[in-house]
């Protein structure tokens, strides 16, 4: 990412990327979440403590030496309670797949349990599999191994089913499988993908669930991929609000962050940017070309071509055009803020 900010904390629609990953757990029965941290661990930990869902119990463990994904999971298991309940499963997600839908993760767990599998992989069929681990199947469509591209033969590189690095494991067999991993590969690392071959060789059933939409598993490793993920997530947010009764004149030019709340009959005109935790009341009209950050707008208010930062706008108020509401500005019900006005505090 070429940034001082840890990759999991780069923002997507105003929310750190890793929080989107945690949100995907909303529809499965999670008893505990373990986050494996490394680079700038204190920053990541502080962010999650402050902003993760309050109902989610999170344990943090640090991978002091970057020895691969298999080692990271082995470290992560130390954050779970010390018991081996035969019925428990462990879901493993990378921190850079923010587009995974909760319904997909729930489907992965259901598929895993229905098949009584030792492990189940979330996979995707793609036209260009370059850069991804390939999924190799054996008899009865059982997965027998995953091969990383740098270690793949020419025949294996032609496989178009790829590993997404999202798994569901039977907990009781996971730790023994990880202990059998070897760094005998091009990277000299402990690959989590090798655990699939270990479990298959030990006689456990390994399944795969193919994603219907490969975009859900798209990883973010640079700013270009961050922009692609941002565009996809914004499309989802806009569609969700439009289906809930919000009008958007031009959705492609309307930017709504993940934590914004919109009431019914809100109209967003082209060029509107709603950042942070904005709240817009029923029947209000925002835009065109208005930029609101952490601002509350009452019912049936209008904000035209204006900038509002941490402001409060009352019911029926009219703002703009070309106004600036500074942090702490308060506009009472039915007040009119004329064009080209800068508001520093409460309006009389």
């Amino acid at each position: 990412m070429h940034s001082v900010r840890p990759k999991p904390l780069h923002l997507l629609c105003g929310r750190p990327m890793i929080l989107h990953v945690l949100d995907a757990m909303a529809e499965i029965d999670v008893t505990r979440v373990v986050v494996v941290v490394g680079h700038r661990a204190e920053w990541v930990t502080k962010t999650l403590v402050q902003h993760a869902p309050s109902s989610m119990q999170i344990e943090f463990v640090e991978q002091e030496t970057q020895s691969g994904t298999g080692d990271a999971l082995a470290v992560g298991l130390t954050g779970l309670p010390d018991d081996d309940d035969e019925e428990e499963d462990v879901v493993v997600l990378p921190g850079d797949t923010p587009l995974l839908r909760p319904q997909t993760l729930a489907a992965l767990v259901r598929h895993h349990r229905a098949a009584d599998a030792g492990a189940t992989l979330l996979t995707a069929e793609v036209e260009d599999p370059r850069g991804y681990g390939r999924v190799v199947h054996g008899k009865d469509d059982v997965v027998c191994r995953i091969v990383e591209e740098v270690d793949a033969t020419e025949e294996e590189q032609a496989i178009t089913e790829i590993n997404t690095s999202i798994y569901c494991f039977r907990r009781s067999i996971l730790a023994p499988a990880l202990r059998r991993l070897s760094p005998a590969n091009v990277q000299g690392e402990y690959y989590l993908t090798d655990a699939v071959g270990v479990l298959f060789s030990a006689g456990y059933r390994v399944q795969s669930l193919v994603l219907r939409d490969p975009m859900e598993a798209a990883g973010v490793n640079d700013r270009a991929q961050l922009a692609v993920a941002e565009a996809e997530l914004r499309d989802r947010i806009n569609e969700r609000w439009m289906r809930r009764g919000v009008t958007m004149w031009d959705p492609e030019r309307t930017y709504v962050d993940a934590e914004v709340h919109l009431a019914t009959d809100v109209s967003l005109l082209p060029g509107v940017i709603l950042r942070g935790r904005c709240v817009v009341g029923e029947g209000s009209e925002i835009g065109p070309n208005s930029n609101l950050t952490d601002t509350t707008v009452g019912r049936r208010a209008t904000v035209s071509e204006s900038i509002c930062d941490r402001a409060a706008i009352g019911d029926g108020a009219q703002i703009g055009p070309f106004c600036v509401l500074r942090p702490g500005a308060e506009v009472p019900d039915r007040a009119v803020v004329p064009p080209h006005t800068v508001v520093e505090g409460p309006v009389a």
Side-chain angles (χ1 to χ4, degrees):
M1 302 298 283
H2 300 286
S3 174
V4 296
R5 179 185 293 270
K7 184 173 73 168
L9 299 188
H10 279 266
L11 299 181
L12 278 175
C13 298
R15 190 165 168 79
M17 179 160 50
I18 192 171
L19 289 179
H20 292 288
V21 177
L22 294 179
D23 290 343
M25 299 180 179
E27 292 191 15
I28 61 174
D29 183 19
V30 174
T31 56
R32 185 184 297 259
V33 174
V34 177
V35 177
V36 180
V37 295
H39 175 59
R40 308 211 68 168
E42 301 85 358
W43 193 351
V44 176
T45 300
K46 181 179 179 181
T47 299
L48 295 189
V49 167
Q50 291 177 344
H51 300 290
S54 58
S55 60
M56 191 169 280
Q57 184 180 3
I58 300 179
E59 189 79 21
F60 297 93
V61 295
E62 185 170 0
Q63 184 187 22
E64 295 182 358
T65 304
Q66 309 298 301
S67 302
T69 51
D71 178 67
L73 180 53
V75 171
L77 289 180
T78 65
L80 294 177
D82 190 19
D83 57 40
D84 289 320
D85 187 341
E86 194 74 28
E87 301 300 318
E88 282 189 347
D89 297 306
V90 175
V91 176
V92 181
L93 302 93
D96 62 356
T97 53
L99 300 179
L100 182 67
R101 299 177 190 271
Q103 303 94 310
T104 300
L105 196 56
L108 173 69
V109 174
R110 287 196 302 270
H111 185 75
H112 171 77
R113 290 176 174 171
D116 193 27
T120 303
L121 293 61
L122 193 63
T123 67
E125 288 278 358
V126 295
E127 293 182 4
D128 183 4
R130 286 179 297 180
Y132 293 94
R134 311 302 203 275
V135 179
V136 181
H137 288 268
K139 293 181 179 180
D140 300 324
D141 208 33
V142 171
V143 177
C144 55
R145 70 181 186 280
I146 300 170
V147 58
E148 298 293 342
E149 184 171 65
V150 293
D151 301 308
T153 65
E154 187 173 334
E155 182 180 359
E156 290 168 339
Q157 288 183 4
I159 296 172
T160 57
E161 185 181 1
I162 63 166
N163 177 41
T164 67
S165 301
I166 298 168
Y167 312 84
C168 186
F169 291 100
R170 189 184 306 166
R171 182 181 174 186
S172 60
I173 63 175
L174 181 53
L178 294 177
R179 287 194 288 269
R180 293 181 58 187
L181 299 185
S182 166
N185 50 62
V186 173
Q187 300 292 331
E189 296 182 346
Y190 294 92
Y191 291 160
L192 176 54
T193 49
D194 288 346
V196 170
V198 168
L199 292 173
F200 175 78
S201 299
Y204 294 102
R205 185 174 184 84
V206 181
Q207 294 284 112
S208 67
L209 177 65
V210 180
L211 271 170
R212 299 175 69 177
D213 178 9
M215 178 60 78
E216 286 194 52
V220 176
N221 292 302
D222 56 37
R223 304 295 179 115
Q225 292 176 341
L226 186 70
V228 171
E230 177 98 7
E232 171 68 18
L233 196 56
R234 288 202 182 280
D235 285 346
R236 292 185 190 176
I237 290 171
N238 286 0
E239 180 180 359
R240 183 175 74 245
W241 284 118
M242 287 188 288
R243 293 189 183 279
R244 293 181 180 180
V246 172
T247 295
M248 296 184 184
W249 287 23
D250 186 352
E252 292 186 1
R253 295 179 57 207
T254 304
Y255 303 87
V256 179
D257 273 358
E259 296 183 335
V260 169
H261 181 77
L262 306 173
T264 56
D265 291 324
V266 165
S267 293
L268 303 180
L269 279 59
V272 165
I273 301 174
L274 302 180
R275 304 178 64 186
R277 297 189 174 186
C278 290
V279 177
V280 182
E282 181 181 354
S284 289
E285 180 178 284
I286 312 297
N289 304 319
S290 291
N291 188 332
L292 279 61
T293 302
D294 294 328
T295 291
T296 300
V297 180
R299 303 172 62 189
R300 294 179 296 281
T302 60
V303 179
S304 176
E305 299 195 77
S306 295
I307 297 174
C308 308
D309 184 5
R310 287 167 282 171
I313 299 169
D315 294 346
Q318 299 178 42
I319 312 297
F322 312 120
C323 290
V324 176
L325 273 58
R326 304 271 190 211
E330 298 180 10
V331 179
D333 295 349
R334 293 174 293 281
V336 176
V337 178
H340 303 283
T341 300
V342 177
V343 180
E344 299 284 355
V347 174

